[in-house]
């Protein structure tokens, strides 16, 4: 039988101090004699004591935790976002609990209810969450990324959630779409296809891309608008683009802009299966600058929307909102940049 887990009373008895003094040491409170502080730390180490987060929450009315709601664990964009969130919250002594909206929806659970049941101190939403899911949230709320919940161009978040209800930080996806179009146009491409999908980020990127192409007098074909934005969707959309080229007399696109990096990887696979080389036959440009894009085998040129910076900014907004709950809501857009690798080449075509 396993021995009972040591309690704060066991630590106090081993160190020869009171329970309240152990609590002060656990909170790293000042004005504790150094000898007693060291005795408590030694007792904690010897006993293998781990503080009860539930008990600490009851005592302090804070769990020192933040909930992060994402769309899909498989999308590497969230890896960098989480790294940014933790870069701010870890040093501040907060833990991060992550929930996947798609997984919870499939099981019939409301992830926001789960976060609130855990009594998180703040909530960061980086998912296509329905407005009603967060409408009644009463903890600091930050919207991270361009979400359907937050149509940033209309600036109507206050109408959706109430004035001052949430802070927003996102990459400027409209500007990113325009940047992608200009990058390919400047390299001589004119036959440029766009692989898109459902969701607010893809919609904003598509809107900016089409606008920049129209300014150049071009109307780009867009594929996959009604589908998803994962690798398989990119593969299918690329196949559709190639089939459309065959129907047009074998005039395939010289370049492809994908709504994100994982769609770009699917496009590269479809091109390979069709006997085409990247970038010699078709250039491919992604979006997000995910860790996959930098792999030596892939070397994907992409638009960097600063997902790590975005996560760090969202975390800082959450911390600031905890200390100043009545402050005006903030809106921050991060300007995207092109990251050039080797999947896009200059062309005269």
């Amino acid at each position: 039988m396993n021995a009972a887990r040591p309690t704060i009373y066991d630590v106090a008895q081993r160190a020869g101090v009171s329970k309240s003094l152990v609590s002060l040491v656990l909170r790293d409170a000042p004005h504790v004699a150094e000898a007693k502080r060291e005795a408590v730390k030694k007792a904690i180490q010897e006993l293998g004591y781990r503080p009860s987060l539930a008990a600490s929450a009851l005592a302090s009315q804070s769990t020192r935790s933040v909930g992060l709601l994402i769309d899909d664990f498989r999308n590497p964009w969230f890896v960098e976002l989480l790294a940014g969130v933790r870069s701010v919250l870890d040093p501040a002594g907060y833990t991060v609990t992550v929930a996947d909206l798609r997984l919870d929806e499939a099981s019939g659970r409301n992830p926001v209810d789960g976060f609130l049941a855990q009594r998180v101190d703040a909530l960061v939403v980086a998912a296509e969450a329905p407005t009603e899911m967060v409408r009644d949230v009463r903890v600091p709320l930050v919207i991270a990324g361009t979400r359907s919940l937050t149509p940033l161009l209309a600036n109507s978040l206050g109408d959706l959630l109430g004035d001052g209800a949430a802070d927003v930080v996102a990459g400027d996806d409209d500007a990113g779409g325009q940047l992608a179009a200009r990058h390919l146009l400047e390299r001589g491409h004119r036959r440029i296809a766009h692989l898109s999908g459902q969701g607010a980020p893809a919609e904003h990127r598509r809107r900016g891309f089409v606008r920049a192409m129209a300014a150049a007098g071009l109307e780009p074909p867009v594929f996959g608008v009604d589908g998803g934005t994962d690798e398989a969707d990119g593969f299918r959309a690329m196949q559709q683009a190639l089939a459309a080229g065959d129907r047009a007399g074998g005039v395939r696109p010289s370049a492809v802009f994908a709504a994100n990096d994982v769609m770009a990887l699917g496009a590269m696979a479809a091109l390979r299966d069709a006997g085409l080389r990247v970038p010699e036959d078709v250039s491919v440009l992604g979006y997000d600058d995910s860790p996959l894009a930098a792999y030596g085998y892939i070397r994907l040129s992409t638009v960097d929307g600063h997902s790590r910076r975005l996560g760090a900014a969202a975390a800082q907004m959450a911390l600031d909102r905890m200390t100043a709950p009545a402050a005006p809501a903030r809106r921050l857009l991060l300007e995207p940049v092109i990251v050039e690798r080797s999947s896009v080449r200059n062309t005269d075509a």
Side-chain angles (χ1 to χ4, degrees):
M1 179 180 292
N2 293 332
R5 194 168 75 176
T7 68
I8 192 171
Y9 297 100
D10 297 324
V11 174
Q13 183 177 26
R14 174 69 66 93
V17 299
S18 67
K19 170 185 168 292
S20 59
L21 191 138
V22 175
S23 296
L24 290 174
V25 173
L26 290 173
R27 296 199 302 270
D28 200 24
H31 312 304
V32 176
E34 193 60 30
K36 292 186 175 181
R37 187 185 300 274
E38 290 303 317
V40 170
K41 289 182 177 180
K42 181 179 179 183
I44 288 172
Q45 183 176 13
E46 291 174 349
L47 293 171
Y49 171 72
R50 295 292 182 271
S52 167
L53 295 180
S56 298
L58 288 173
S60 66
Q61 300 301 307
S62 170
T63 58
R64 306 289 293 181
S65 65
V66 171
L68 172 62
L69 181 62
I70 66 173
D71 272 323
D72 188 352
F73 277 118
R74 297 170 300 177
N75 190 333
W77 182 84
F78 293 109
V79 175
E80 290 296 290
L81 177 84
L82 177 59
V85 168
R86 293 195 57 180
S87 72
V88 171
L89 293 182
D90 286 3
Y94 284 81
T95 59
V96 181
T97 303
V98 182
D100 184 323
L101 180 62
R102 291 189 186 183
L103 292 178
D104 282 342
E105 281 184 336
S107 64
R109 292 192 297 264
N110 182 334
V112 173
D113 287 345
F115 284 135
L116 298 181
Q118 295 173 41
R119 301 180 63 223
V120 295
D121 296 322
L123 179 61
V124 176
V125 175
E128 297 282 348
T131 303
E132 56 271 17
M133 185 177 286
V134 298
R135 189 187 299 278
D136 296 323
V137 169
R138 293 294 179 262
V139 298
L141 174 64
V142 179
I143 309 300
T146 307
R147 309 287 103 184
S148 59
L149 175 67
T150 59
L152 293 175
L153 295 182
N155 197 28
S156 59
L157 184 63
D159 296 333
L160 291 169
L161 299 171
D163 290 337
D167 299 292
V168 177
V169 55
D172 191 338
D173 287 324
D174 280 80
Q178 295 179 56
L179 187 64
R182 289 196 295 268
H183 180 72
L184 295 173
L185 289 169
E186 288 168 359
R187 278 145 188 79
H189 295 280
R190 292 298 179 269
R191 301 191 312 277
I192 307 172
H194 180 37
L195 312 183
S196 190
Q198 297 178 333
E203 179 183 347
H204 282 275
R205 294 166 190 180
R206 181 169 67 248
R207 184 184 304 170
F209 176 78
V210 170
R211 183 184 300 120
M213 292 291 287
L218 299 171
E219 184 177 351
V222 180
F223 302 92
V225 173
D226 295 327
T229 56
D230 61 20
E231 184 181 10
D233 296 305
F235 187 93
R236 284 190 291 270
M238 188 70 248
Q239 287 183 319
Q240 293 169 11
L242 292 174
D246 290 340
R247 290 193 298 271
V251 181
R252 65 170 180 265
S254 69
V256 172
F257 167 48
N260 62 29
D261 288 347
V262 291
M263 287 195 78
L265 296 185
M268 294 170 83
L271 289 168
R272 178 200 60 201
D273 286 0
L276 298 171
R277 300 164 299 165
V278 176
E280 292 83 359
D281 299 315
V282 181
S283 291
V284 177
L285 180 65
Y287 203 113
D288 287 336
D289 194 26
S290 63
L292 291 174
Y295 284 6
Y297 181 73
I298 299 168
R299 296 194 293 272
L300 177 67
S301 294
T302 183
V303 180
D304 184 3
H306 309 295
S307 53
R308 186 180 290 252
R309 280 179 53 200
L310 193 153
Q316 189 59 55
M317 283 180 168
L319 291 178
D320 293 345
R321 180 63 57 186
M322 291 180 210
T323 58
R330 288 185 290 175
R331 307 287 185 267
L332 175 62
L333 281 181
L334 303 180
E335 193 69 21
V337 297
I338 290 285
V339 178
E340 295 190 63
R341 295 194 176 94
S342 63
S343 65
V344 173
R345 74 178 184 94
N346 294 342
T347 182
D348 296 326

